[in-house]
Amino acid sequence: MQAIARPLARAAPRQVRAAAALSTWANVPAGPPDPILGVTEAFKADQDSRKINLGVGAYRDGNGKPYVLSSVKKAEEFLTANNPDKEYLPISGLPEFTKAAAKLAYGADSKPLNDSAVAVVQSISGTGALRIGGAFFHKFFPHSKAIYIPNPSWGNHTAVFRDSGLEVKQYRYFDKKTVGLDFQGLKEDLRSIPTNSLVLLHACAHNPTGVDPTPEQWKEISDIIKEKSLFPFFDMAYQGFASGDTTRDAFALRHFVSEGHQVALSQSFAKNMGLYGERVGAFSVTCADEGEKKRLESQLKIIVRPMYSNPPLHGARIASTILNSPELYTEWEDEVKGMANRIISMRDRLYDNLVSLKTPASVAQKAHIYMTADGRISMAGLNGHNVDYFSESVSKAVKGEL
Ligand code: IK2
């Protein structure tokens, strides 16, 4: 036994070395951390008690803690009491959910909705909806394989659309000098891009700038999009979060539909229901009639089936229970208002603090504060306990005193 064991023991390290040198993956380089979610990893590793994470856009309560909505808890209790099964959902998702999600976005009096002319599928939150949309446009949009997104835009848009096979181009959106909308630049760009192009619009709470067009500006944008026969694809990841009112935040989408545009829409329930990890969303397209809607839905299912077969069940059941119960719906609307108001009050307090600290009008980072490299901060990460420290740190950094 020993005579055999010794040579084998001596040989093992050589075999291990040889195996490592021949690994199929030896030439795979390490990728960079995600610019947004990588910030959370760095935040978790920091031991300083003053640390603040303003990187990922996830709501926190007044004590900086994750927040589960009371309407969500009640919906879950109701679901548990009804002893639900864990069967597969249809490829297009939970019908009660997709119907209610479309109604929330387009409005109960929406013509295409009432004509049964909106093709909808459940998606893996907003990102999944954008990805299904990207694949759908790549396969069926007859005019081009490009999408125009605002500059700047949510960091993941480029990757999502590029991986869907689309070429990603930009139109002007933000004016650094006025720290507001570059409305002239936006209009000029929309007028100069090729007729029939596909254009992504943030429906409300533009990420990362927080700057939205006014209703009057949306009307002008709608007119240009009509003149140029552009196709509007709305990304609505924050319905209710911008103003506290889901109807007000759906203004742009509903205005475009009432003006006769055909639209595509990505919806997320991550923020407005706090269902981040449940991955609840929907992708929809308005169609000419019910027959067209059925054809589109059949094609959307063909896109979904090889990607992930069918969507997750639990979050869709929660959202559906809330959206379809008058009491829970009212409670949820109040909670959305509460979250939006807390964010709005933090923005006001931060602004007042920076002004009273005589802070020059440019922003930097440091001092255990985690934010994305483009200077975007998630207002929801601020609360009554950390907003003063954050203001002072920003002020010092900008003045070169940190
Ligand atoms: N679209 C926009 C404009 C978003 O801001 C988001 C969410 N961003 O925050 C989380 C992150 O940076 O990953 C989405 C779409 C998609 O969000 P979700 O897939 O979580 O619904």
Side-chain angles (χ1 to χ4, degrees), residues 34 36-37 55-58 124-128 130 153-154 156-157 202 205-207 235-238 266-271 276 279-280 376:
D34 182 84
I36 299 175
L37 297 182
V56 71
I124 300 187
S125 213
T127 309
L130 293 165
S153 200
W154 177 46
N156 209 14
H157 276 147
H202 294 227
H206 178 272
N207 182 2
D235 180 0
M236 189 149 71
Y238 298 91
S266 155
Q267 277 175 274
S268 168
F269 289 86
K271 320 283 171 167
Y276 305 96
R279 314 308 288 144
V280 193
R376 177 196 87 152

